[in-house]
């Protein structure tokens, strides 16, 4: 939000306005873009809260608080500081370093190449993930054994993970837990039927830590199926919510374009993620839903500039207008 305000102020400085005019116009022109960007992210974060489970829900709560706090400080607190500095006559000019001076990059000419590259990566990555089957899914989705350890010496999580990797249990979830009035324990979740291997690996790898098993449990694949369903529903709801909001604020064609681009970002991320040999887990689902919120931000900034350029009557075809807007918002 602050960057959008500063970019607008930079343009007003180039137009030769006074410092008061620069500040006022910067905040005024950036407000609509900031609002739309934050609302589209909020749509995803609120859906995270209502549809997510465990860490995914917590992620949504944290993201929502962060968005609201950021929105308030960017538009209210920083503006109050500027107004105070201006009232005291402590700032008379604002200088900004131009980072990108190129203004005529032909983005639209690269469309076919970039679309083809993305399609190859998406098809290869998603196809590889499907071919791997359950190996592409973490214990959150396919279930597994949960073993709780008591210890005399705390071992860093990175060291634990290295030992688990050597034992062939690299897809495990490791976390220390502390309950009020009880000693700290170590909880590890790995694949089905790996409890004894887990115990042996830790006791042999860290004999000085005094690892002893205090409890075992098993998480069935039904929990994973529930997470999968909620993740898919949350993704579809987030996309639909963003589609409706962008269609209401801009045009339906803009909304369709933003959702298609959003779908591209999600599938490309998952494709590259699967190609790297990693597994889909609950935190990864939260990350994908966050991408759904944030990937719309840049599109909103560009669409807002396209709409503004259309109102100003800038000459050229719509294709040329898109290139102009992309160059204007690049930095």
């Amino acid at each position: 939000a602050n960057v959008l305000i500063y970019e607008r102020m930079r343009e007003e400085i180039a137009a030769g306005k006074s410092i008061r005019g620069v500040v006022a116009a910067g905040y005024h022109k950036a407000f609509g873009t900031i609002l739309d960007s934050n609302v589209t992210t909020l749509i995803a974060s609120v859906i995270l809260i209502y549809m997510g489970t465990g860490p995914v829900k917590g992620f949504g709560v944290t993201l929502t608080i962060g968005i609201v706090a950021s929105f308030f400080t960017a538009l209210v607190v920083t503006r109050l500081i500027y107004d105070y500095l201006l009232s005291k006559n402590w700032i008379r000019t604002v200088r900004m370093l131009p980072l990108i001076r190129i203004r005529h990059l032909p983005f639209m000419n690269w469309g076919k190449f970039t679309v083809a590259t993305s399609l190859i990566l998406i098809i290869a990555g998603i196809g590889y993930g499907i071919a791997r089957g359950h190996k592409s899914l973490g214990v959150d989705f396919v279930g597994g054994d949960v073993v709780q350890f008591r210890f005399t010496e705390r071992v860093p999580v990175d060291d634990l993970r290295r030992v688990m990797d050597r034992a062939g249990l690299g897809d495990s979830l490791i976390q220390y837990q502390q309950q009020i009035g009880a000693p700290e324990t170590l909880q590890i979740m790995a694949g089905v039927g790996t409890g004894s291997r887990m115990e042996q690996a830790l006791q042999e790898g860290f004999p000085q830590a005094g690892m002893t098993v205090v409890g075992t449990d098993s998480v069935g694949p039904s929990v994973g199926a529930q997470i999968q369903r909620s993740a898919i529903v949350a993704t579809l709801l987030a996309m639909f919510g963003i589609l409706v909001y962008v269609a209401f604020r801009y045009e339906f064609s803009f909304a369709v374009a933003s959702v298609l681009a959003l779908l591209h970002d999600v599938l490309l991320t998952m494709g590259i993620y699967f190609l790297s040999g990693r597994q889909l887990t609950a935190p990864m689902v939260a990350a994908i839903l966050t991408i759904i919120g944030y990937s719309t931000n840049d599109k909103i900034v560009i669409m807002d500039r396209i709409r503004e350029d259309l109102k100003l009557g800038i000459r050229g075809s719509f294709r040329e207008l898109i290139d102009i807007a992309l160059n204007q918002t690049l930095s």
Side-chain angles (χ1 to χ4, degrees), residues 148-151 175-179 182-187 214:
Q148 199 165 22
F149 295 90
R150 187 177 290 126
F151 51 87
Q175 59 181 346
Y176 282 100
Q177 295 183 333
Q178 177 75 63
Q179 294 183 355
E184 188 177 33
T185 58
L186 170 66
Q187 181 174 290
V214 293

Side-chain angles (χ1 to χ4, degrees), residues 116-131:
T117 304
S118 286
L119 282 174
I120 290 168
L121 285 171
I122 289 169
I123 293 169
I126 301 296
Y128 180 61
I130 293 170

Side-chain angles (χ1 to χ4, degrees), residues 67-195:
I67 291 166
V68 174
S70 172
F71 184 76
F72 175 75
T73 54
L75 292 175
V76 179
V77 178
T78 58
R79 181 64 189 272
L80 286 172
I81 293 169
Y82 264 115
D83 288 344
Y84 180 77
L85 294 173
L86 289 170
S87 67
K88 295 293 184 180
N89 207 27
W90 286 349
I91 53 169
R92 298 181 182 179
T93 58
V94 176
R95 292 184 177 85
M96 297 190 181
L97 174 68
L99 187 64
I100 299 173
R101 296 177 182 273
I102 304 168
R103 288 289 181 182
H104 304 289
L105 289 173
F107 287 103
M108 295 299 287
N109 292 346
W110 305 334
K112 291 180 181 178
F113 171 76
T114 51
V115 167
T117 304
S118 286
L119 282 174
I120 290 168
L121 285 171
I122 289 169
I123 293 169
I126 301 296
Y128 180 61
I130 293 170
R132 288 178 67 204
H134 283 310
K135 291 182 179 179
S136 295
L137 301 174
V139 289
D140 294 322
F141 293 99
V142 296
D145 289 354
V146 180
V147 182
Q148 199 165 22
F149 295 90
R150 187 177 290 126
F151 51 87
T152 56
E153 182 182 317
R154 200 178 200 273
V155 180
V157 173
D158 289 341
D159 294 343
L160 291 168
R161 196 168 297 284
R162 276 193 291 271
V163 169
M164 295 292 285
D165 287 343
R166 284 201 297 269
L169 303 168
D171 61 339
S172 55
L173 297 175
I174 303 171
Q175 59 181 346
Y176 282 100
Q177 295 183 333
Q178 177 75 63
Q179 294 183 355
I180 298 172
E184 188 177 33
T185 58
L186 170 66
Q187 181 174 290
I188 302 180
M189 181 176 178
V192 177
T194 59

